[in-house]
Amino acid sequence: MVWFFVAWVLLTTLHQIAHAVMARTVGWRVIGLRVGLGPVVSRGVIFDVPVEWRLFPIVGLVEVLPQDLKSPRLKNALIYAAGPGIELIFAGILVIALGWDVMMSETDSYAIAGLQAAALAAVFGAGLNLMPFSPQPGVVTDGLGILLSPFLTDEHFKRLMVQPILEQADHHLRGGNPQAAKK
């Protein structure tokens, strides 16, 4: 179980990085990456992306913004699929490297047991993320995001594109600077 949870934390990070890399690959802007729940333990910037590490690194979130309206539904689905996809690729690489028999056998080797647990955590994590449900209002799993992507309207993506501009204008207005808000 210890190996499983250690692998889960590492895979959660890999999962979120895959979403961010795919977003950048399709030309979308990554505005934030968060790994974990609870209080913030550390903040930083990696490749111009603000990153937060939280106390319980068992889930994560990547915030992305479309930069154009060229195939936004496909790009959205690809971004959602990248997280579980990298976990399944990781598990597949372990199975290929060690062999199916080793992956499915009992062992006294801590290294093999750790790799078996990592593969199991990867498959479990991908499967859980591909389940189509909404754990809380406004949040969807990768599976539901993939399924909903073809049905999102252009207006949805347009709203996402202008959201940072509206938030910045609101910030200026609340700060008593209406001239800056007009810009």
Side-chain angles (χ1 to χ4, degrees), residues 99-179:
W100 185 254
D101 291 342
V102 171
M103 291 300 288
M104 300 306 291
S105 300
E106 286 187 40
T107 182
D108 291 333
S109 166
Y110 288 120
I112 297 296
L115 294 172
Q116 289 170 330
L120 180 62
V123 171
F124 182 77
L128 184 64
N129 276 285
L130 287 170
M131 289 179 158
F133 68 96
S134 179
Q136 61 185 1
V139 176
V140 298
T141 61
D142 294 331
L144 186 55
I146 293 166
L147 291 175
L148 292 176
S149 290
F151 305 103
L152 296 172
T153 64
D154 283 346
E155 283 67 34
H156 168 79
F157 295 105
K158 287 177 187 175
R159 278 192 303 274
L160 289 176
M161 290 172 69
V162 300
Q163 178 184 349
I165 298 165
L166 296 174
E167 287 174 358
Q168 186 176 24
D170 184 58
H171 174 74
H172 287 304
L173 286 173
R174 290 178 191 271
N177 191 353
Q179 292 300 346

Side-chain angles (χ1 to χ4, degrees), residues 11-77:
L11 287 164
T12 297
T13 304
L14 179 64
H15 179 109
Q16 301 313 318
I17 290 170
H19 287 308
V21 167
M22 180 59 75
R24 285 233 172 134
T25 300
V26 300
W28 285 20
R29 194 168 128 223
V30 180
I31 60 170
L33 188 148
R34 183 177 345 147
V35 177
L37 297 169
V40 175
V41 173
S42 174
R43 282 191 174 100
V45 177
I46 301 173
F47 298 111
D48 297 324
V49 175
V51 178
E52 283 186 357
W53 299 91
R54 295 183 174 241
L55 187 58
F56 304 106
I58 56 171
V59 296
L61 174 73
V62 175
E63 297 174 90
V64 299
L65 292 175
Q67 297 299 290
D68 59 51
L69 292 175
K70 296 175 189 166
S71 305
R73 292 160 197 80
L74 174 61
K75 291 175 181 179
N76 199 56

